[in-house]
Amino acid sequence: MTADLVRHGGADGQGGADAHGGADAAQGEKQWSPGRERGPSPRQGDRLRPLSRRQVEDRFEDLGDLYEETSGGGTRAGTRSRAEFLRRLAGEVRRPGFTLLIAENTTLTAFAYGFPVRGADPWWQGCDTRLPRTVRGLAVTGGLFAVSGIVVPARVRTHYQDRDWNLARRLQRRLLDDHAPALGVALLPAADTETLTAYRAWGWRDVVAEARDPRPPAGACRVLLLGR
């Protein structure tokens, strides 16, 4: 199952600029400085907390609503995407070690979730399975935590991605801290360059197949790793 990265945009969440893009965004970035933040500090604006399995199930509708709001694509596409997301989440929440973190201020603003994964897990289906020996070893020993979804507003994907207080960075760091010493692993569609760019900006690095393997890449997904 590939990782979710949800953002405002065109059909099925791809393409299109969000309300923070264009000249206004450029002007905002020019005026911003670490010592002069306008409004609430981004370090304090959203509180992170985990939900229990029961709480996740009780808040399915809220999670689905946020997924639909941030995915774009219009009413029909959004409804279909929402239903697929909830069906996928309903299966993953039953996995051992499943964790879902939410970010909230006065309302739900973002969330991320995942679970421990091993080498023989069906979760790897569709990826390029020619993993380096070190990654295969981590998969065998349980040293990988699959970050299956990061659901954030578009501004988090496009603004200040390298800052520690970036909301996606905070969510993924907390997930891994709670499952130390595992490394984070994500599967992303190879054709989704926008999502790949965002993950790389958040510190994820591509897993490169062993150079001695003569076979051409065959997977539809890319494997990315994240340390703490």
Side-chain angles (χ1 to χ4, degrees):
M1 183 64 62
T2 57
D4 292 312
L5 172 65
V6 183
R7 66 276 191 187
H8 295 287
D12 295 327
Q14 298 189 22
D18 71 303
H20 300 272
D24 292 339
Q27 182 179 6
E29 291 188 17
K30 183 177 180 181
Q31 295 176 348
W32 184 92
S33 67
R36 294 176 57 191
E37 292 171 357
R38 298 183 181 276
S41 168
R43 297 171 180 80
Q44 303 172 356
D46 297 274
R47 181 172 67 97
L48 307 187
R49 66 182 180 92
L51 298 184
S52 68
R53 281 191 175 90
R54 177 62 62 84
Q55 289 173 324
V56 172
E57 293 170 350
D58 288 344
R59 298 196 65 173
F60 260 29
E61 294 304 312
D62 292 338
L63 297 171
D65 288 347
L66 183 60
Y67 185 96
E68 185 175 8
E69 289 169 8
T70 55
S71 64
T75 303
R76 292 185 62 183
T79 301
R80 182 172 63 252
S81 177
R82 182 182 190 276
E84 293 171 353
F85 161 73
L86 290 176
R87 183 165 52 252
R88 191 164 61 243
L89 181 62
E92 293 185 345
V93 74
R94 300 186 180 95
R95 296 184 62 116
F98 177 89
T99 300
L100 187 144
L101 292 174
I102 63 170
E104 58 185 357
N105 40 56
T106 57
T107 60
L108 178 67
T109 58
F111 60 94
Y113 56 97
F115 42 83
V117 65
R118 289 182 177 268
D121 198 296
W123 179 80
W124 295 96
Q125 184 177 358
C127 80
D128 184 350
T129 56
R130 300 183 292 105
L131 301 176
R133 184 176 305 174
T134 54
V135 178
R136 293 200 303 268
L138 289 171
V140 170
T141 60
L144 295 176
F145 183 85
V147 178
S148 187
I150 302 176
V151 179
V152 294
R155 66 180 181 277
V156 177
R157 178 176 52 86
T158 58
H159 289 63
Y160 311 119
Q161 305 99 316
D162 60 341
R163 302 283 181 173
D164 287 341
W165 45 257
N166 178 278
L167 191 52
R169 280 182 172 262
R170 291 179 60 202
L171 285 165
Q172 65 191 26
R173 183 169 62 246
R174 174 71 179 274
L175 279 176
L176 295 189
D177 285 348
D178 290 348
H179 294 84
L183 298 181
V185 61
L187 300 184
L188 299 177
D192 191 350
T193 57
E194 187 175 354
T195 299
L196 285 166
T197 297
Y199 269 66
R200 289 163 182 156
W202 293 332
W204 292 81
R205 65 184 187 275
D206 293 83
V207 173
V208 181
E210 292 180 341
R212 291 176 296 177
D213 194 325
R215 295 171 297 174
C221 298
R222 292 289 180 266
V223 183
L224 287 84
L225 283 182
L226 179 70
R228 286 174 305 280

